[in-house]
Amino acid sequence: MRQVLYALIPGTLLMSWIFGWGVLTNLILATIFCLGFEILAIKLRQRSVKIALSDYSAVVTAWLLAISLPPMMPWWMLLIGCCFAIIVAKHFYGGIGNNPFNPAMVGYVVLLIAYPLQMTQWLAPSHMVEALPSLANTLGVVFAGADLTIDAVSMATPLDTLKTELGLSKTLGEIRSTALFGTLAGAGWEWIAGLYALGGLYLVYLKIIPWQTPVALIAGMGVMASVFTLAMPDHFAPPTFHIITTGCILGAFFIATDPVSGCSSTKGRVIFAAGVGAIAYIIRGWGGYPDGIAFGVLLMNMAAPLIDHYTVPKAYGQSS
Amino acid sequence: MSSSNQKITPFHGGLHLDGHKQVSTQTPIASIPVPQYLHIPVPHNSEVTATVGEHVLRGQALTTSSNSMTPAIHASSSGTVRAIEMHAVVNRSGQLLDCISIETDGNDKSIEPLAALKPSADNKQECLDRLRECGIVGLGGAGFPTAIKVATDKSIDTLIINAVECEPYITCDDMLMQEQASRVINGAETLASIVSAKEVLIGIEDNKPEAIKAMQAAASNAERGKIVIVPTIYPSGGEKQLIQLLTGKEVPSGGLPADLGVVCVNTATATASYDALHQGLALTERIITVTGAGVKKPGNYLTRLGTPISKLLDFAETDHKVYQQLRMGGPLMGIPVKDTSSPVVKITNCILAEAAQPQHAEQPCIRCGDCVRVCPAKLLPQQLYWFTRATEFEKAEDHGLFDCIECGCCDYVCPSNIPLVDYYRHAKFEANNIKSERIRSDRARIRFEQREQRLERKAEEKAALRAAKLKKLKEREEAKAAQQEGTQDNKQDEIAAALARVKAKKEKTND
C-alpha cells in the first residue's frame, strides 16, 4: 500500500501550500496516533507488530483521515478520530481484512457527529488571506487550544457555502461569483482535487485499484447532479462542480476502492461505488451535512455483503 | 491438413509465466536404465494377482479389478516379486500405499504382445477393453482412465489432442512431438477412430516452434489432424480452457466435454493408446522431464514406471545440496516429493528441483481481488477462501467450489501469500464429506422411517386381529349367554311345573 501513499503526495503538498502548516500537523499527528494505536492493538492481540506495520495500512488510514479533516485540528480530536478508526473500526472486528467499515471514514464520521462546529470550520485558502497562520500559531492552536479565529481567518468550505447560501435563496450565479469559487469548483480546491485525481490515475495505471470504482462513483454523482441541474439550473450546481471536489475525488480513487470493506465482483464494485456517489449527492443536496462521501461509503459498506450475495459472477461452465 | 486458421477464443484470467523450457530441450530423449528395484503402487479397488516370489515379465498384468473401468497395472521389466507392502509414494497426504516391489533380473524379457487391433466403428468395446487391459490413463497429470473418456455414447465431433503443456519447466510432450511426431499423429488417428470423431484438433502453445514444425510435417500426410497454435498463457493446457480456446464453448458445470461433442486427450496418452491397440503393448514406461536447480543434465528421460525418483535424479546428475524442494509435476500444480525412494508413476510428467525461495508468512486476505482477475474458472477465489475459513462449505459450493480446477493462479498472485488452493482442496474434501454424510444419514433416516411404518403397520394389523378376535369372543359369549338364558327359562318352567305337580298332588291328598 506504499503506492497509495505515493499517489497522495502531490495533492497533499498542494493542500499544505494553500492551507498552510495545519495540513502537515494533521498528517503527522494522525500518523503517530494511528501507528500507536495499531501497535497497541497488535500487542494486545499478541500478533507480530513487524508484519502488521509492514503493510502500511495504518499509515494509509491516518493519511486519508488527516486530509479529510479541516487543517489545524486540535490534537485531542485527532486522537479520538484515530482511536475510532484503528481500535474500534479495525481491531474490534479482527484487524486488517476483517473490518466491515472503512476505518478512516468511521474516524471521520465520529468526529463529524461529535464536533460538527469544528469539523465545518476550514481555514481560508491562501489567496483569500494576507498570510497563512505561522508555524507557531498553528502549534498553538493544535496543542494549546488557542482560539483559531484570533490568529487566522476561518471559513466554510465551498460545498458548505453553496449549501448555506442556496438555503438563503441566492442563485447559483451570485454564490459562485465570490473569491471562494474558481472556474469549475472551489478556487484552489479544484487544483487539489485535480492532483488527487492524478494520483488516483497513477494507481489505476498500476492496476492497484480497479478503474471501474472511480468511474462508477463519479458517474453516480454526475448522473444525479446532471438530472437536477437540467431541471433547475439556478438551484443546483452542475456535475463538474460536484465532481471536482476533494471529497468526491478522494472518495472515488482512495476510499471507495478499499477492497476490504467493499464488494468482491466487478459488478458489485460498480454498484457499490455508484451508490456512494448517489448517496453523497443526496446528502450534499438535502442532508444536514455539507458533504456525504463518508456517509455514502459507510452506508454502502453496510450494503456490501448483500450486493455480494446478488452479484456472484457466473463461473466457467455455469452460463450454459 | 495442417494449417492453423482455427479461431481462438481466449479464456478468462490466466498468467504469463516464464517457461524455463529451453533448459530441458537441449538434448534428445535418453533412456534411464532399468533399476534393480521397481515399486509399483496398487490402484484403488484393485486386487493383486501377482504373488511374492513369482517371476514376472515386462507387460504382465499385476492386478485385476472388480470395477470393470479400473485399468490394470503391469510389471515394467522382468524379475521377481519380492514384496507387496506399504511403500512411500508421492501424494499430497504423505500416506504410504501398497506397492508391488519387483527385483529386476536384468534380462528385461517381455510377454508376447497382444494381437494388433484396428479400431473401427464395429469394435469399439474391444478397443475399450484393450485400453483398459493395457493400463492406459491420462498421462498429462490427472491419470483419468482413457477407456472411460472415450467410452462415451454421445456423438463426438471433435477429438482434441492436448499438446499445450502450459506449466513451466515441463517439456516431455514437447520432446515427444519433436522426436516422434508421427507416433502422436497415429495415436490421434487411433483415438479419433474409436470415438468416430469428424475432426482432430491438436492444440500446441506457441512457445514450442520445433514441435509445431514437426507436428505440421507429420500431420500433412494424415487424414485428420489439424495443428492449432494457442497463445502461451497458463493454464491453456487445462482441459476446460483448451476446449474453450479451440471451440469457444464452455464445458457445462458438472458435465463432461462429451456433452459438447468433444473428447480431449493428452499427447503422450494418444501415443500410448496407439501402442496398446496397434502394437499390443501395455503402458510400462513414459517420458519424464528432470529439470531445475542443481540438475546438471536436465532433459527428458524415458523411464520405466516404478523407478525410484532418486535413480532419475542420479542419472540427471543432480546436486542434492542445491535445491530446496522436489516436486512431481510443475511449479504450480506439482505435488511435493517428500521421499525420493518414491516411484515414478503413470502421471509423473516431471521431476522439478526447486531452488530455495524466500518464504513469506501467510497474511490476512484483504479482498484485493488479484485472484479474481487471474482465475480461469471465473470464480471469486477470495470469497471461496472466506467461506472455507468460516467452514461454510455449502456456501463455497454455491460459489462454484467444484468448478475450481486447482490451477494455482490465485496462489501465485496472492499478495498475502495465502495457499488458496490448499484451502479449496480442504473445502472440497469437507463438502464431499458432508454430502456423503448426508447421503448416509438420509439412508438411515429412510430406513428408520420405513421401520417405523412397518412396526406401525404390524401394530395395526395386530390390533385389528385382536379386535376381530375380541368381537368373535364376545359374539360367542353372547350366544352362550343367550343359550344359557334359554336353559334357565326351561329350568324355571320345569320347576314351576314340578311345583304345580306337587301342589296338585298335595291338594289331591288333602281332599
Side-chain angles (χ1 to χ4, degrees), chain B residues 3 12 19 75 117-118 140 189 215 251 288 331 347 350 385 392 412 478 504:
Chain B
S3 71
H12 180 264
L117 191 59
K118 196 172 167 15
E189 195 58 42
M215 288 293 286
V251 181
I288 298 171
I347 62 165
C350 178
Y385 162 78
E392 291 181 298
Y412 186 86
E478 264 170 20

Side-chain angles (χ1 to χ4, degrees), chain B residues 386-407:
Chain B
W386 283 96
F387 293 140
T388 307
R389 284 285 301 255
T391 65
E392 291 181 298
F393 302 116
E394 285 181 28
K395 243 180 177 166
E397 254 192 277
D398 289 344
H399 278 66
L401 175 66
F402 284 95
D403 292 308
C404 165
I405 58 166
E406 301 180 16
C407 63

Side-chain angles (χ1 to χ4, degrees), chain A residues 51 97-98 259 264 316-318, chain B residues 240 250 253 363 367 377 386 403:
Chain A
I51 290 176
N98 295 291
S264 309
Y316 176 102
Q318 287 187 346
Chain B
K240 290 175 169 181
E250 291 184 6
S253 179
Q363 309 253 319
R367 299 179 200 263
W386 283 96
D403 292 308

Side-chain angles (χ1 to χ4, degrees), chain B residues 484-502:
Chain B
Q484 247 167 21
E485 217 168 273
T487 35
Q488 228 160 36
D489 283 351
N490 287 350
K491 264 181 193 162
Q492 262 163 9
D493 285 350
E494 267 169 40
I495 293 166
L499 282 176
R501 272 197 307 272
V502 173

Side-chain angles (χ1 to χ4, degrees), chain B residues 442-457:
Chain B
D442 277 355
R443 225 180 267 152
R445 201 194 64 233
I446 290 167
R447 255 203 312 270
F448 175 75
E449 282 172 1
Q450 283 173 342
R451 179 169 179 269
E452 288 285 285
Q453 277 173 1
R454 210 163 48 233
L455 289 180
E456 211 172 291
R457 206 167 52 232

Side-chain angles (χ1 to χ4, degrees), chain A residues 293-306:
Chain A
I293 289 287
F295 290 107
V297 168
L298 294 183
L299 286 171
M300 291 313 285
N301 283 162
M302 288 180 201
L306 184 76

